[in-house]
Amino acid sequence: MTTKEKIKTLIDELPEEKLQVIELLLRQILITRQNTLPTGKLGLKEPFNRVDLYDEIMAHRY
């Protein structure tokens, strides 16, 4: 049984008043979650140089 099927069976077993609370919670989560694409240069160097990026990453690792 997959996780999705387990969740469906658990929801089917809940009483009606609990379902209303869960439905309200899910609606609030979906409303507040706004996935917007990032804008701007995103901290990338102009022009992008992969060697400089690796040097910067390795400097913080060791």
Side-chain angles (χ1 to χ4, degrees), residues 14-30:
L14 287 174
E16 187 65 33
E17 55 273 356
K18 300 260 185 189
L19 286 175
Q20 292 172 355
V21 173
I22 291 175
E23 184 178 355
L24 180 63
L25 174 68
L26 290 174
R27 282 187 185 163
Q28 289 298 320
I29 291 172
L30 291 174

